[in-house]
Amino acid sequence: MTTRPMNGPITFNAQHSPMGAFMSFTCGNPGTRGGIGLQIGQPGDQEVFIGVIDGDRYADVPLKCLPFYIGAASTAMEAFTAESAGPSEANVRPDALPFAANEIKRFYSWATDTWTAGDLSFTVYTPFGAIPDPAKASEKEMRDGLRPAVVAHLVIDNSKGKKPKTGIFALNHARTGPRMLTDDLGKNRVGFAFRREAGVAAEVVDITGSGKADKPEAFGFMRWSATDGIREKYNPVHLLGSCPGIGFEVPAGKIYAMVLAIGSYLEAPVTTGLSGKYLYTRYYTDLTDVLASTLDAAGKLVKAAEKLSAKLETAPLSDDQKFLISHATHSYYGSTQLLEIAKKPFWVVNEGEYCMMNTLDLSVDHVFWELDRNPWVVKNLLDNFVAQYSYTDEIKVYTDAAGPVHSFDHDPSQPPPPPDAAQLSRPYDKKPGGISFCHDMGAHNNFAPKGRSSYELANLTSTFSYMTVEQLCNWTLTAGCYMAKTRDTAWLKKTKKVVAAVLESMINRGGEVGFAQYDSTKTAGGQEITTYDSLDHSLAQTRNNVYMAVKSWAAYRTLALLFRDLGDKKAVAKSLELAEKVAGVVADQAVDGVLPAIFEKDNPGYASRILPATEGCAYPLYYVKTGYAGVKLDKVFASPSEKRMYDALKEHTRKLLTDPEKRNVFADGGIKLSSTSNNSWMSKISIFLHVTRKVFGLDKDPAVAAVLKKADAAHVTWQTVGSAYWACCDQIVSGEGKASRYYPRIITSALWLD
Amino acid sequence: MTTRPMNGPITFNAQHSPMGAFMSFTCGNPGTRGGIGLQIGQPGDQEVFIGVIDGDRYADVPLKCLPFYIGAASTAMEAFTAESAGPSEANVRPDALPFAANEIKRFYSWATDTWTAGDLSFTVYTPFGAIPDPAKASEKEMRDGLRPAVVAHLVIDNSKGKKPKTGIFALNHARTGPRMLTDDLGKNRVGFAFRREAGVAAEVVDITGSGKADKPEAFGFMRWSATDGIREKYNPVHLLGSCPGIGFEVPAGKIYAMVLAIGSYLEAPVTTGLSGKYLYTRYYTDLTDVLASTLDAAGKLVKAAEKLSAKLETAPLSDDQKFLISHATHSYYGSTQLLEIAKKPFWVVNEGEYCMMNTLDLSVDHVFWELDRNPWVVKNLLDNFVAQYSYTDEIKVYTDAAGPVHSFDHDPSQPPPPPDAAQLSRPYDKKPGGISFCHDMGAHNNFAPKGRSSYELANLTSTFSYMTVEQLCNWTLTAGCYMAKTRDTAWLKKTKKVVAAVLESMINRGGEVGFAQYDSTKTAGGQEITTYDSLDHSLAQTRNNVYMAVKSWAAYRTLALLFRDLGDKKAVAKSLELAEKVAGVVADQAVDGVLPAIFEKDNPGYASRILPATEGCAYPLYYVKTGYAGVKLDKVFASPSEKRMYDALKEHTRKLLTDPEKRNVFADGGIKLSSTSNNSWMSKISIFLHVTRKVFGLDKDPAVAAVLKKADAAHVTWQTVGSAYWACCDQIVSGEGKASRYYPRIITSALWLD
């Protein structure tokens, strides 16, 4: 564990997840359920009892617990004793008592999460690393990489005690079906499970470190509450119980650690549309195999986790920044799902609470993290989008003189209103559009039909509309980053036609100015939107949007590099020409050093001031960092128009961050992406901060640095207080996690480690 | 459907289930969730929308629905629009409106359940029959027998209309994962599903019956409410929606019926301990196969269901009796589960809300029903109990003078208190016990370890204690009934050793008087209980219990028949000797024509008057009815002591039923099994009534007949009002369904059809 406890609020949920199992062991928020959750975008449904009795298991003193449960006594017993005056005395015991807030400390880091209270300490270890490529890795490497389990330690320090103490770990289930594990887990090991799908196994070791080591034994129990189970003399296990657990007694003078494996195993196909099962089922036979082998490997896993946490602790970042990176990493892996479809691996990151699969505007944000560890999953994603979730559309060229209909009478801090009859009936010509990519591949384990997302609908102007240009850029940028990291020219050559189609599609949609001038016919009477889907006008429409403009510029810059590697000089020149053109358009929009969000004077978004204007700069930065650009950053902005855009974006950012009216910070100091909306996305703030520091070096400006420092602190509070139950939340409304909860995308904060 | 609507309350849930799929489509109770539930002892979690729009699908008039939903608008949309002022106008539509109570009629029968309201009628068809023996039946027979689906009709009568009407069926899901079916279901068919596990497919037919028949089309939709989905012009299907449905428009002058297949498919192993998958997976490839083939067979299934309902309607029973049989049958099949374990079929009836598997004291009650249709499942059960869930114990012979400890200060209407320290420490010798059978085979799809039930625990005196003698009798009686029905001497010969062991075990436990004098050492410091587990002292302990005595007498009578077929004359004589002995003991206990519940003057149960005293007589009656006894009923009670017992039981029953103090009826006239408890079990009342009529002919006594008639009416109200949500409830406390809900065991009421 890290050496310093957290200073601020510690009572927030964290996900503890292996890689690719769409599984999370969640705890931290007091008084709510959590525990093991599988394939859901929210905490599990178990009360988690982690506690200690100051005596043997039968001692008539309270079970003191970490506060991860609603109440220590369940009412399930009542169902069997309909007319009894109440549960019989034999079954009524004093409830568990939570430790007081001031007794508890938490040490939260990249791959470790430790709670201490009294003589108890509890740590969950979640080492992460490269998910091996099944095409290349050995079976052993795959087992290690895809182990659908995490390890925890429950340590009871009785070194100063005069009588035994008892430690317990138990999960009280809301659904029916917990059981004790009766398969052979190995000597002195005890376990329990929920049906076939998830479970816990444990063994106890003497870690006193002096004297002859004991060989302690763990014992299992299962009744209708943790306290009943632990203390029941005659029938500690009732197969009808809801609360299985594992306990151990620690003699006076000793320190024992219970090592826990917390894992899952879903053997059947889990997805529809494309029928997929977990790839780990290739390498593990069943839940018992998962749990037993995890206990076998526990020492190694703990060391790996501690090493990762230690690495983060030594990074040249503030505690607030380290916290956000840690929290984001915990949350990211809980959404990951590595499937096997048609005998091939299929990588999915689920979209937090929404469980949309491989939302492409999230994928493009995850790419930095994934490429640092397992570039093959990025290739897998790019190929799957091309094969299954791309489409070719046309664009709408309106033929009336009216121009887009703007409703200024609509609250400008809200998303655009739905299209009215006039908008829906505007006449248009259809012109060639080109290739683009779906918003996502489906939701909740249901793959969408080929060429279709679960999210996008026609005739809308805001949330749930199409993101055609946005996703076209996103696929391109993801491909660019993949190439930057791997230089996988063989893949690029195979994908040549797609790259060419992308350029053509960008050109068709770009009109005179080179970027996002038209909406896809897929939108019918609506308009395309950006990933900032529920934001105000400033980031709703793609047309003439500064965020889209800079992202398009980055996409052209990317295409130039890809065509370079494909040896297509003509296309390189065309791409660079368009990059310069778009950059010039952006630079030209600045008024008093600030860029309007929408380059249309009659648009409500013209008055908005948005920080994501700079987001696109993250990609050229990556190409420079990886050497893929072949030049330093200043050469990326070398052409006159690109230099002008660089200066404009830098000044825009500086002005917005130091705005005396503070229109782009919240009252608490947190970053407000749009001056006209209370919606903010932590993942996008993270990219923005990265660009602000690494592209523009604005953190060297003391005024800006002060703003950023205060912002980091506010962002921590957004998570620890504003989203305490939701274990890392992306969409924040005025400091409170309101949507995009339990989310993977905040992993963009790991860019700060660069 | 039956021709007469129900007279009394109609707003109660009913299960609609195929055979052996542990699946139920439940609806009927207003304002609560139901729909498709799999492997759970309670209604499903969907709002069920069955409705009609007086206009086309987009008409600006309310969707009028049967009242099977909480509210017609879901709030799932809100999650995506965190800071919006509210769901955008495009998504807000008037909610569904329920039909008023006085507009709705219900026709409820054995295999049909019809609701009519306005121009809408909705019927679920649940034909049942013989589950074929997979060892003998063809693949086609198995597909027909194990089809995990039911059929429903939604009829919209627009024959008198001047404009179109629109009918819809939709399920709004509480869990995430509904989807539209995209597989080929056949021409003009539309469907939706929940992930891989359950779904609905439909086609619409013109049943106007005059003019040229149309070929109508159904349309699918899925949004966040039924009203939103049906009326959405541009995007009727949103893959993120929670409420998939199917609709159809009916032109003026026409009557259309939408035929629905409502089914499930669980492909993976579902049980632990013994790894079992549904046997239907041998015969069906996937959910689409289930749904498409069910639509193909719908006509035949509807006819079969109507034939069954018609058969019941013509039975010489009262409407109240017919209702109870119908309701019991609906509930029974919802708990049935035919598995495949180690490549062999494995029959399970789950215990309603508790989901205990093959609770043997329920099995013995289900046996009559099952033997009339599929005796092979009874053999399967008997063999599985012998192979996996039997044990050999010892009995406790207390060596102190104290005798059992009775707490008279305990409320005598309550179950016995838990054993106190004195009871727990009473010294005893261990003597040979013998074979007996576990209470159950596990719970909630988790098979218990070999030789162990999920229910039974040591050191208890009431609920959750062992039922050693009770289950020994139950296995014996089940075997007797199986032989009576099948004369399967080959099986009996294979089971000879077990039958011999049963007699020895009965003798060892019977002491001087021949029945239940000792408790199993499994109970440790506790005592054995009967199936009436939460009743008062009168039916809690097995020792010297009149219910156990008569059941033991029946077991000895059974053993005599089994040994007869095995050619073991000595054992026949011994069995008959014991039967006569026990009968004499019972007869001797009568005081003023009434038998005490417990034959111990110092026991609180001595003063209790219980009707289940006669229950054991049901088995000899069955042996006579099937010809297995080889004699008429009077010869079963031919020996002097048995004649005396017969007379005593008859008089006991007559006196209790006509007791001027009405100690064995509730205020509403319902049967009170124990004079000293407000607990009553409908399944056991049904057997009692059967015996009262068919063994003792007491219904010919006008005073008794009046009591029984009033009781039947009360029993209907217990279900339709007292257990409205729980779709058939066994354990009733003063008219209200308090426990043993969603229960299979009331199928004993079908004995009345004899």
Side-chain angles (χ1 to χ4, degrees):
Chain A
M1 66 187 190
T2 67
T3 46
R4 286 165 306 132
M6 288 187 72
N7 267 326
I10 61 171
T11 50
F12 56 88
N13 268 335
Q15 295 195 55
H16 304 98
S17 302
M19 302 188 293
F22 202 178
M23 166 200 158
S24 179
F25 175 76
T26 298
C27 63
N29 190 54
T32 51
R33 294 180 199 276
I36 306 173
L38 301 185
Q39 309 192 124
I40 48 169
Q42 62 183 67
D45 59 3
Q46 303 117 60
E47 296 182 279
V48 180
F49 291 88
I50 298 161
V52 60
I53 293 171
D54 189 18
D56 65 28
R57 63 183 288 191
Y58 306 118
D60 193 18
V61 290
L63 169 66
K64 290 202 77 178
C65 285
L66 296 174
F68 310 148
Y69 60 98
I70 291 169
S74 149
T75 55
M77 172 80 186
E78 287 168 19
F80 282 90
T81 52
E83 210 216 358
S84 301
S88 63
E89 288 169 43
N91 291 297
V92 177
R93 305 281 190 166
D95 273 0
L97 288 180
F99 282 103
N102 64 8
E103 294 177 282
I104 306 176
K105 289 191 176 68
R106 188 174 189 177
F107 306 75
Y108 189 62
S109 190
W110 216 8
T112 52
D113 184 8
T114 299
W115 298 75
T116 65
D119 302 317
L120 167 158
S121 91
F122 178 74
T123 304
V124 192
Y125 300 92
T126 45
F128 51 86
I131 298 173
D133 182 350
K136 297 175 184 168
S138 70
E139 175 147 343
K140 186 178 177 314
E141 287 167 333
M142 292 311 299
R143 268 176 75 90
D144 284 346
L146 294 183
R147 173 178 290 110
V150 300
V151 171
H153 278 180
L154 172 59
V155 176
I156 303 294
D157 182 348
N158 199 15
S159 55
K160 298 192 182 102
K162 301 290 175 202
K163 59 182 180 185
K165 289 185 194 291
T166 304
I168 78 144
F169 177 94
L171 298 177
N172 195 17
H173 289 69
R175 285 173 301 154
T176 53
R179 63 186 173 108
M180 299 309 295
L181 278 172
T182 50
D183 295 345
D184 184 20
L185 290 161
K187 197 165 179 302
N188 277 345
R189 290 174 176 176
V190 177
F192 63 84
F194 182 78
R195 301 198 178 205
R196 298 175 75 96
E197 70 188 46
V200 177
E203 65 188 2
V204 183
V205 289
D206 180 349
I207 57 166
T208 314
S210 62
K212 190 167 172 292
D214 299 339
K215 294 197 172 167
E217 283 185 16
F219 54 85
F221 55 87
M222 181 165 80
R223 301 279 303 193
W224 283 320
S225 78
T227 46
D228 189 17
I230 190 89
R231 288 164 174 159
E232 171 62 39
K233 273 209 168 75
Y234 305 120
N235 306 294
V237 173
H238 193 180
L239 299 188
L240 296 175
S242 61
C243 187
I246 307 167
F248 60 106
E249 288 180 353
V250 187
K254 287 287 188 175
I255 310 172
Y256 284 1
M258 178 155 73
V259 184
L260 297 145
I262 303 171
S264 65
Y265 192 86
L266 293 173
E267 66 208 288
V270 291
T271 57
T272 69
L274 302 171
S275 180
K277 52 162 74 177
Y278 282 91
L279 188 64
Y280 64 63
T281 59
R282 256 202 221 168
Y283 307 101
Y284 288 91
T285 54
D286 56 20
L287 183 62
T288 302
D289 183 17
V290 168
L291 296 176
S293 67
T294 301
L295 285 180
D296 294 344
K300 210 172 60 181
L301 295 167
V302 166
K303 271 196 197 118
E306 286 174 337
K307 198 172 156 190
L308 284 161
S309 289
K311 186 177 169 191
L312 182 68
E313 293 312 312
T314 58
L317 296 168
S318 71
D319 282 356
D320 289 336
Q321 289 175 311
K322 289 176 195 168
F323 168 81
L324 285 164
I325 293 169
S326 293
H327 205 40
T329 307
H330 280 267
S331 195
Y332 173 76
Y333 280 112
S335 284
T336 60
Q337 181 178 36
L338 184 54
L339 299 171
E340 177 174 57
I341 293 176
K343 300 193 176 162
K344 287 184 185 159
F346 198 115
W347 173 249
V348 176
V349 179
N350 289 277
E351 192 181 338
E353 64 164 319
Y354 309 124
C355 293
M356 282 181 276
M357 302 156 86
N358 285 334
T359 303
L360 182 50
D361 45 303
L362 269 72
S363 302
V364 71
D365 293 338
H366 302 156
V367 71
F368 309 109
W369 178 264
E370 284 161 0
L371 287 175
D372 267 2
R373 284 154 192 85
N374 22 247
W376 74 270
V377 310
V378 176
K379 180 170 74 172
N380 185 273
L381 179 104
L382 289 164
D383 288 344
N384 287 332
F385 264 106
V386 170
Q388 299 283 347
Y389 294 101
S390 56
Y391 59 85
T392 301
D393 67 348
E394 295 175 295
I395 55 169
K396 300 188 291 180
V397 181
Y398 283 110
T399 54
D400 58 350
V405 180
H406 299 298
S407 349
F408 282 93
D409 52 348
H410 181 75
D411 178 353
S413 77
Q414 297 297 316
D420 57 16
Q423 169 66 21
L424 289 174
S425 61
R426 286 184 65 199
Y428 56 78
D429 286 341
K430 292 180 183 179
K431 300 273 162 138
I435 193 171
S436 188
F437 301 89
C438 302
H439 171 273
D440 59 72
M441 300 187 178
H444 300 294
N445 280 7
N446 293 321
F447 278 100
K450 201 169 174 177
R452 186 169 162 194
S453 73
S454 68
Y455 176 97
E456 289 157 313
L457 300 176
N459 286 306
L460 295 176
T461 47
S462 171
T463 310
F464 301 133
S465 186
Y466 280 83
M467 296 189 189
T468 307
V469 175
E470 163 86 58
Q471 305 300 8
L472 178 62
C473 290
N474 291 338
W475 188 92
T476 310
L477 297 168
T478 304
C481 291
Y482 173 70
M483 283 304 298
K485 186 70 182 188
T486 63
R487 316 294 160 93
D488 183 355
T489 315
W491 174 82
L492 185 62
K493 283 185 178 154
K494 268 192 285 182
T495 316
K496 188 176 167 179
K497 277 189 187 163
V498 180
V499 176
V502 163
L503 177 58
E504 189 191 337
S505 186
M506 288 288 292
I507 292 171
N508 286 346
R509 294 167 206 282
E512 291 291 309
V513 295
F515 79 95
Q517 297 303 297
Y518 303 105
D519 293 305
S520 171
T521 48
K522 295 254 181 197
T523 65
Q527 65 175 5
E528 286 181 33
I529 57 168
T530 76
T531 182
Y532 297 83
D533 59 356
S534 54
L535 244 167
D536 61 20
H537 292 75
S538 68
L539 275 161
Q541 74 177 48
T542 51
R543 295 184 324 283
N544 293 314
N545 184 311
V546 66
Y547 156 75
M548 285 309 304
V550 179
K551 208 163 187 179
S552 296
W553 164 77
Y556 287 127
R557 275 268 160 196
T558 302
L559 287 166
L561 293 170
L562 298 180
F563 285 120
R564 177 196 68 189
D565 288 2
L566 288 167
D568 184 342
K569 286 184 186 166
K570 206 173 136 189
V572 170
K574 182 71 185 167
S575 301
L576 288 178
E577 174 200 324
L578 284 159
E580 288 170 29
K581 184 194 236 181
V582 172
V585 172
V586 171
D588 289 346
Q589 309 300 320
V591 178
D592 297 333
V594 172
L595 294 159
I598 306 290
F599 303 160
E600 300 167 357
K601 291 202 170 112
D602 62 345
N603 189 302
Y606 187 77
S608 296
R609 305 152 73 102
I610 61 166
L611 294 166
T614 65
E615 192 179 308
C617 300
Y619 302 93
L621 176 67
Y622 190 73
Y623 305 150
V624 167
K625 184 196 118 180
T626 50
Y628 190 55
V631 294
K632 292 209 171 160
L633 194 62
D634 53 349
K635 292 289 176 201
V636 172
F637 297 97
S639 74
S641 68
E642 285 166 308
K643 180 72 178 72
R644 282 201 298 127
M645 179 179 79
Y646 177 91
D647 292 341
L649 289 170
K650 182 174 179 176
E651 181 60 4
H652 170 83
T653 305
R654 197 192 62 76
K655 281 206 124 170
L656 265 53
L657 286 178
T658 57
D659 174 20
E661 292 179 49
K662 299 195 174 185
R663 282 169 290 186
N664 282 89
V665 291
F666 289 100
D668 61 7
I671 297 293
K672 200 163 175 243
L673 291 173
S674 163
S675 62
T676 45
S677 172
N678 285 327
N679 262 325
S680 224
W681 276 263
M682 192 58 225
S683 61
K684 293 302 202 180
I685 292 172
S686 299
I687 300 178
F688 160 76
L689 291 172
H690 178 60
V691 169
T692 300
R693 292 182 181 115
K694 301 292 165 132
V695 176
F696 300 119
L698 279 167
D699 53 332
K700 286 166 198 80
D701 176 335
V704 171
V707 171
L708 298 190
K709 193 180 171 197
K710 199 172 166 198
D712 284 337
H715 301 154
V716 169
T717 305
W718 290 0
Q719 298 299 336
T720 58
V721 179
S723 319
Y725 174 72
W726 284 103
C728 205
C729 193
D730 199 12
Q731 193 178 348
I732 306 285
V733 179
S734 306
E736 199 178 333
K738 283 280 192 183
S740 299
R741 299 171 290 196
Y742 222 60
Y743 224 57
R745 194 189 216 172
I746 303 97
I747 197 66
T748 49
S749 60
L751 282 168
W752 305 339
L753 285 166
D754 281 357
Chain B
M1 68 185 190
T2 68
T3 47
R4 286 166 305 133
M6 287 188 73
N7 268 324
I10 62 170
T11 50
F12 56 88
N13 269 334
Q15 295 196 54
H16 304 98
S17 302
M19 303 188 293
F22 202 177
M23 164 199 161
S24 181
F25 175 76
T26 298
C27 63
N29 190 54
T32 51
R33 293 180 200 275
I36 307 173
L38 301 185
Q39 308 192 124
I40 48 169
Q42 62 183 68
D45 58 5
Q46 302 117 62
E47 295 182 279
V48 180
F49 291 88
I50 298 161
V52 61
I53 293 172
D54 189 18
D56 66 28
R57 64 182 290 192
Y58 306 117
D60 193 19
V61 289
L63 169 66
K64 289 201 77 176
C65 284
L66 295 175
F68 310 148
Y69 60 97
I70 292 170
S74 151
T75 55
M77 172 78 186
E78 288 168 18
F80 282 90
T81 52
E83 209 215 359
S84 302
S88 63
E89 288 168 43
N91 291 296
V92 177
R93 305 278 189 168
D95 273 1
L97 288 181
F99 282 104
N102 63 7
E103 294 178 282
I104 307 176
K105 289 192 176 66
R106 187 174 189 178
F107 306 76
Y108 188 62
S109 191
W110 215 6
T112 52
D113 186 6
T114 298
W115 298 76
T116 65
D119 302 317
L120 167 158
S121 90
F122 179 74
T123 305
V124 192
Y125 300 93
T126 45
F128 50 87
I131 298 172
D133 181 350
K136 296 174 184 168
S138 70
E139 175 146 344
K140 183 178 177 315
E141 287 167 333
M142 292 310 299
R143 269 175 75 91
D144 284 346
L146 294 183
R147 172 178 291 111
V150 299
V151 171
H153 278 181
L154 173 59
V155 176
I156 303 293
D157 182 348
N158 199 15
S159 54
K160 299 191 183 103
K162 301 288 176 204
K163 59 183 180 186
K165 289 185 194 290
T166 304
I168 77 144
F169 178 93
L171 297 177
N172 195 17
H173 289 70
R175 286 173 300 154
T176 53
R179 63 187 174 110
M180 299 310 293
L181 277 171
T182 51
D183 293 347
D184 184 20
L185 290 161
K187 197 164 179 298
N188 277 345
R189 289 175 175 175
V190 177
F192 63 83
F194 181 79
R195 301 199 178 203
R196 299 175 74 96
E197 70 187 45
V200 177
E203 65 188 1
V204 183
V205 288
D206 180 350
I207 58 167
T208 313
S210 61
K212 188 167 174 289
D214 299 340
K215 292 196 173 167
E217 283 185 16
F219 54 84
F221 55 86
M222 181 164 80
R223 300 279 303 192
W224 282 319
S225 78
T227 46
D228 189 16
I230 189 86
R231 289 167 173 157
E232 171 63 37
K233 271 208 173 76
Y234 304 119
N235 306 292
V237 172
H238 193 181
L239 299 187
L240 297 174
S242 60
C243 186
I246 307 168
F248 60 106
E249 288 179 354
V250 188
K254 287 287 188 175
I255 310 173
Y256 283 2
M258 178 156 71
V259 185
L260 297 145
I262 303 171
S264 65
Y265 192 86
L266 293 172
E267 67 208 287
V270 292
T271 58
T272 69
L274 303 170
S275 180
K277 52 160 76 177
Y278 283 91
L279 188 63
Y280 63 63
T281 59
R282 255 202 222 169
Y283 306 102
Y284 288 92
T285 55
D286 55 20
L287 183 62
T288 302
D289 184 17
V290 169
L291 296 177
S293 68
T294 300
L295 285 180
D296 293 343
K300 209 173 60 182
L301 296 167
V302 165
K303 273 196 197 117
E306 285 174 339
K307 197 171 157 190
L308 284 161
S309 290
K311 185 176 170 191
L312 183 67
E313 293 311 312
T314 58
L317 296 170
S318 71
D319 281 358
D320 289 337
Q321 290 175 311
K322 288 176 195 168
F323 169 81
L324 285 163
I325 293 168
S326 293
H327 205 40
T329 307
H330 280 267
S331 194
Y332 173 76
Y333 281 111
S335 284
T336 59
Q337 181 178 38
L338 184 53
L339 300 171
E340 176 173 58
I341 292 176
K343 300 192 177 162
K344 289 184 184 158
F346 198 113
W347 173 250
V348 176
V349 179
N350 290 277
E351 191 180 339
E353 65 164 317
Y354 308 125
C355 294
M356 283 182 277
M357 302 156 86
N358 285 334
T359 303
L360 182 49
D361 46 304
L362 269 73
S363 302
V364 72
D365 293 337
H366 302 156
V367 72
F368 309 109
W369 178 264
E370 284 160 0
L371 288 175
D372 266 3
R373 282 154 194 84
N374 23 247
W376 75 269
V377 310
V378 176
K379 180 170 76 174
N380 186 273
L381 179 104
L382 289 163
D383 287 345
N384 287 333
F385 264 106
V386 170
Q388 298 284 347
Y389 295 100
S390 57
Y391 59 85
T392 301
D393 69 346
E394 295 175 294
I395 55 168
K396 300 188 292 181
V397 181
Y398 282 110
T399 53
D400 58 351
V405 180
H406 299 298
S407 347
F408 282 91
D409 53 347
H410 181 74
D411 178 352
S413 78
Q414 296 298 316
D420 57 15
Q423 169 66 20
L424 289 174
S425 61
R426 286 184 64 200
Y428 56 78
D429 287 342
K430 294 179 183 179
K431 300 274 162 142
I435 194 172
S436 189
F437 301 89
C438 302
H439 170 273
D440 59 71
M441 298 186 178
H444 300 296
N445 280 6
N446 293 320
F447 278 100
K450 202 170 174 176
R452 185 168 163 195
S453 73
S454 69
Y455 176 98
E456 290 157 313
L457 301 176
N459 286 306
L460 294 176
T461 48
S462 173
T463 310
F464 302 132
S465 186
Y466 280 84
M467 295 190 190
T468 307
V469 175
E470 163 87 59
Q471 305 299 11
L472 179 61
C473 291
N474 290 338
W475 187 91
T476 308
L477 297 168
T478 304
C481 291
Y482 173 71
M483 284 303 297
K485 186 72 181 187
T486 64
R487 315 295 161 92
D488 183 355
T489 315
W491 174 81
L492 185 62
K493 282 185 178 154
K494 266 192 284 182
T495 316
K496 189 175 167 180
K497 276 190 187 163
V498 180
V499 176
V502 163
L503 176 59
E504 189 192 338
S505 186
M506 288 289 291
I507 293 170
N508 286 345
R509 294 167 207 282
E512 291 291 309
V513 294
F515 79 94
Q517 297 302 299
Y518 304 104
D519 293 306
S520 170
T521 48
K522 295 254 180 196
T523 66
Q527 66 175 5
E528 286 180 32
I529 58 168
T530 76
T531 182
Y532 297 82
D533 60 356
S534 54
L535 245 168
D536 61 20
H537 292 75
S538 67
L539 275 161
Q541 76 177 45
T542 51
R543 295 183 324 282
N544 292 315
N545 183 310
V546 66
Y547 156 76
M548 286 308 305
V550 179
K551 207 163 187 179
S552 296
W553 164 78
Y556 286 127
R557 275 268 161 195
T558 302
L559 288 166
L561 293 169
L562 299 179
F563 285 120
R564 176 197 69 189
D565 287 3
L566 288 166
D568 185 341
K569 287 184 186 164
K570 207 174 137 192
V572 171
K574 182 68 184 170
S575 300
L576 288 177
E577 176 200 323
L578 284 159
E580 289 171 28
K581 185 193 234 181
V582 172
V585 171
V586 171
D588 289 347
Q589 308 300 320
V591 178
D592 296 333
V594 172
L595 293 160
I598 306 291
F599 303 159
E600 298 168 357
K601 292 204 170 109
D602 62 345
N603 188 302
Y606 187 76
S608 297
R609 304 150 75 100
I610 61 166
L611 294 167
T614 66
E615 191 177 309
C617 300
Y619 303 93
L621 176 66
Y622 189 74
Y623 306 150
V624 168
K625 183 197 120 179
T626 50
Y628 191 54
V631 294
K632 293 206 171 161
L633 194 63
D634 54 348
K635 291 291 177 201
V636 172
F637 297 98
S639 75
S641 69
E642 285 166 307
K643 181 71 177 72
R644 284 202 296 128
M645 181 179 78
Y646 178 90
D647 293 341
L649 288 170
K650 182 174 179 177
E651 181 60 6
H652 170 83
T653 305
R654 197 191 62 76
K655 282 205 123 172
L656 265 54
L657 286 178
T658 57
D659 175 20
E661 293 179 48
K662 299 194 174 187
R663 282 169 289 186
N664 282 90
V665 290
F666 288 99
D668 61 6
I671 298 292
K672 201 163 175 241
L673 292 173
S674 163
S675 63
T676 45
S677 172
N678 285 327
N679 262 324
S680 225
W681 276 263
M682 191 59 224
S683 62
K684 293 303 202 180
I685 291 172
S686 300
I687 300 178
F688 160 76
L689 291 172
H690 179 61
V691 169
T692 300
R693 292 181 180 116
K694 300 292 165 130
V695 175
F696 300 118
L698 279 168
D699 52 332
K700 287 165 197 83
D701 177 336
V704 171
V707 171
L708 298 190
K709 193 178 170 198
K710 198 172 167 199
D712 283 337
H715 301 153
V716 170
T717 306
W718 290 1
Q719 300 299 336
T720 59
V721 179
S723 318
Y725 174 72
W726 284 102
C728 205
C729 192
D730 199 12
Q731 193 178 348
I732 306 286
V733 178
S734 306
E736 201 179 334
K738 284 281 193 184
S740 299
R741 299 171 290 193
Y742 222 62
Y743 223 58
R745 195 190 215 172
I746 302 97
I747 198 64
T748 50
S749 60
L751 282 166
W752 305 340
L753 286 166
D754 282 358

